[in-house]
Structure formats: structure tokens, C-alpha cells
Amino acid sequence: MPRSITKRIRAFCARTGAAGDPLYVAVAPLDGASEKRCFTNVERKVARDGGEACLGWALWEWPNVLLEAEVHCVWRDAAGRLLDVSPAQQGDASRGVLFLPDPALGPRLEGGRIDNVREALRSDPAIARLIEIHELLARVGGVAQGALPEGVHDLAEGLRRESNRLADQLNRGAGGSAGRNDPCPCRSGAKFKRCCGR
């Protein structure tokens, strides 16, 4: 997560199409909440405590490598306060998540999955290729993995392996300090030792 909201972060936020400024939102996972299931987690919180869902973008920074905005959903209470009820995917949960509210996401989500927005933090062919791979994987990711034709499934697996190799290379070259049990900087959701740290 970005340590502060800089001019570069604000300019990056504009690439999502959202109006307004990002803000830090506290993280307090709902009992039994699943990582990467923010919509389901918020739906459960609304059913239990009222309030409403607030759509937007979670903003992540891989220092000296890239910025990434991911569609995310947090809970808004009756007083308008925001709370992320999903387990933190990356970084220090005590700092919260950097969140950019985007009410216009609702209609866009009805058309299907929305890929993350990514921006390289430096000119590097490995970073450009990593971003390209994630864009390609997002295009085939809209289809359930089991339903992919064999050739496409094999291609996707090859791209994932290349992504993991590049992420490992970039993590070492970016002065990354991921410990074996830390979340992998490539944002796969797996521990570093089971992903790029192999």
C-alpha cells in the first residue's frame, strides 16, 4: 500500500476513471471473511449490521516497480464511515487500505469483470512484460479455468510461470524485502515461499 498520497498516486487514480481522492480505510475483517471475496464479505456485513456497499478501487504499490488499482468493495455504515471487512491482502492491516471510492463502478461491473489498472514506476522491460502478462491473463480469466480449451489453459499456465519468474526477478532487483511467509509482492495472494520465492 502506498505510504502517502502523492501527486503520482493522485494522477494514477485518475486513470481508473473515478472522480475524487483516495483515502485510508481501516481494516476489520468480518468473522469468517474470505480474502479476495470482498463483495460477499460486504454483503454479509450489510445483512448483519445494515449500512451499504461502497464500490471503488484498492490501491497497491510495489515499491520501485508498479502501482496497481484493483476493484474493491468496502462497507459504509449509516453515518457514512467506511470499513474494509475483508482480510488484508497485502501489507500492514493496521495502516488500513488505500481506497478510491467509485460509484460509477456498479454499471461497469454488470458488464463483467474489470481488470486491474497498472502503471510502471520506472522504465524496465521486465515490468512492461509483467503488466502485459497480467493484461493477457485477465482476458482469459473471465472464463472458468476448467472451461478453457487445453491449448489456452496451457498458454495461461505458461504466462503465470513467466509472471512468477519476472516477479521474483523484480522483487530481488527492487530491493524487495519479502520474507518467506509474507504475501508475495506479485499479488497472487499466496505466500512468497509458495509463489515467487521458489
Side-chain angles (χ1 to χ4, degrees):
M1 170 179 45
R3 291 191 175 122
S4 62
I5 302 171
T6 63
K7 287 181 184 178
R8 183 162 196 169
I9 297 288
R10 289 181 200 282
F12 174 68
C13 289
R15 291 192 52 215
T16 67
D21 290 323
L23 60 145
Y24 289 96
V25 174
V27 177
L30 190 63
D31 288 339
S34 300
E35 194 174 292
K36 296 190 177 193
R37 299 278 185 249
C38 59
F39 294 97
T40 302
N41 298 334
V42 170
E43 186 178 284
R44 287 181 48 227
K45 178 73 170 171
V46 169
R48 189 182 85 184
D49 298 330
E52 63 183 4
C54 178
L55 298 175
W57 301 86
L59 304 171
W60 309 105
E61 179 179 19
W62 184 352
N64 203 30
V65 177
L66 61 84
L67 295 171
E68 187 166 14
E70 173 181 32
V71 171
H72 195 56
C73 186
V74 299
W75 177 68
R76 183 185 346 247
D77 70 12
R81 292 179 297 252
L82 300 178
L83 181 68
D84 190 350
V85 297
S86 299
Q89 292 184 37
Q90 189 178 54
D92 181 3
S94 67
R95 291 185 52 216
V97 64
L98 187 55
F99 182 73
L100 177 63
D102 187 354
L105 270 176
R108 289 174 58 197
L109 282 171
E110 290 174 10
R113 187 177 183 283
I114 297 174
D115 189 22
N116 295 1
V117 177
R118 298 169 191 87
E119 180 178 297
L121 290 176
R122 68 177 196 267
S123 179
D124 183 322
I127 297 171
R129 177 64 179 154
L130 185 68
I131 290 171
E132 179 184 30
I133 288 170
H134 283 273
E135 289 169 353
L136 289 168
L137 287 170
R139 284 190 213 134
V140 297
V143 179
Q145 286 300 319
L148 289 175
E150 186 175 324
V152 176
H153 186 341
D154 293 345
L155 174 64
E157 285 305 310
L159 288 171
R160 284 187 191 91
R161 282 192 298 276
E162 183 181 358
S163 170
N164 290 343
R165 184 186 55 74
L166 286 168
D168 185 38
Q169 171 189 332
L170 289 165
N171 190 48
R172 286 189 305 248
S177 59
R180 289 181 43 75
N181 290 313
D182 291 338
C184 190
C186 77
R187 300 241 326 105
S188 67
K191 288 183 179 185
F192 180 68
K193 69 182 178 186
R194 298 202 193 296
C195 190
C196 297
R198 289 183 192 179

